[in-house]
């Protein structure tokens, strides 16, 4: 479970390389016994949803495919769509390849100590 801010976005990555970003305020709250909320229309074309991430406008995303292709994109490049839209193509893949995982790249904290001579700091595990 993740606690999110009301002003953020929900970013989805289905297995076919499509993706979309939706403002969190477009999701209604449900209570016990509710019917649920449609997150994304999935078809054979879009595939199953692999990851749902809480992002901000300036967040970066890392998408990894089954064949080992790694792509880093800004969440602002992912178009804003309604909740039930199928989204737009984010990753173009070879036939038979699928998205295996997606994650938000954590922002570097200002004033954090740098490790090593390459200037990179340790990133927290998610």
């Amino acid at each position: 479970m993740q606690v999110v801010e009301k002003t953020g976005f929900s970013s989805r990555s289905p297995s076919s390389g499509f993706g979309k970003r939706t403002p969190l305020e477009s999701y209604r709250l449900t209570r016990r016994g509710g019917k649920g909320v449609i997150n994304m229309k999935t078809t054979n074309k879009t595939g199953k949803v692999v990851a749902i991430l809480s992002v901000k406008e300036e967040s970066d995303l890392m998408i990894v495919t089954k064949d080992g292709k790694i792509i880093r994109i800004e969440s602002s490049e992912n178009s804003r769509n309604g909740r039930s839209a199928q989204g737009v193509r984010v990753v173009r893949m070879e036939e038979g390849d699928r998205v295996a995982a997606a994650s938000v790249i954590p922002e570097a904290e200002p004033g954090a100590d740098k490790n090593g001579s390459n200037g990179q700091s340790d990133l927290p595990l998610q």
Side-chain angles (χ1 to χ4, degrees):
M1 181 191 273
Q2 184 174 6
V3 178
V4 296
E5 298 176 19
K6 289 184 178 183
T7 58
F9 295 92
S10 170
S11 178
R12 267 90 60 222
S13 298
S15 61
S16 63
F18 282 79
K20 70 178 198 165
R21 185 173 52 109
T22 306
L24 291 174
E25 37 307 322
S26 64
Y27 289 90
R28 65 177 161 74
L29 292 176
T30 60
R31 300 206 185 274
R32 209 173 65 163
K35 301 283 185 187
V37 178
I38 293 176
N39 177 44
M40 183 175 204
K41 287 185 180 175
T42 57
T43 63
N44 289 338
K45 179 181 175 185
T46 60
K48 294 181 179 180
V49 176
V50 173
I52 301 173
L53 306 168
S54 174
V55 298
K56 297 179 183 174
E57 191 76 38
E58 62 276 357
S59 297
D60 285 346
L61 303 174
M62 184 79 65
I63 299 173
V64 182
T65 68
K66 185 179 77 173
D67 289 346
K69 190 179 201 180
I70 300 173
I71 296 168
R72 179 180 183 156
I73 63 168
E74 293 179 18
S75 70
S76 59
E77 291 178 21
N78 216 351
S79 70
R80 288 177 71 167
N81 295 94
R83 280 183 328 183
S84 63
Q86 78 174 13
V88 296
R89 184 168 302 279
V90 176
V91 181
R92 197 163 297 279
M93 297 178 288
E94 304 294 323
E95 187 161 336
D97 197 9
R98 305 305 260 166
V99 172
S103 180
V104 176
I105 299 172
E107 297 177 20
E109 295 180 16
D113 291 339
K114 302 291 181 186
N115 295 336
S117 61
N118 62 3
Q120 295 181 347
S121 61
D122 289 335
L123 296 175
L125 296 176
Q126 291 188 358

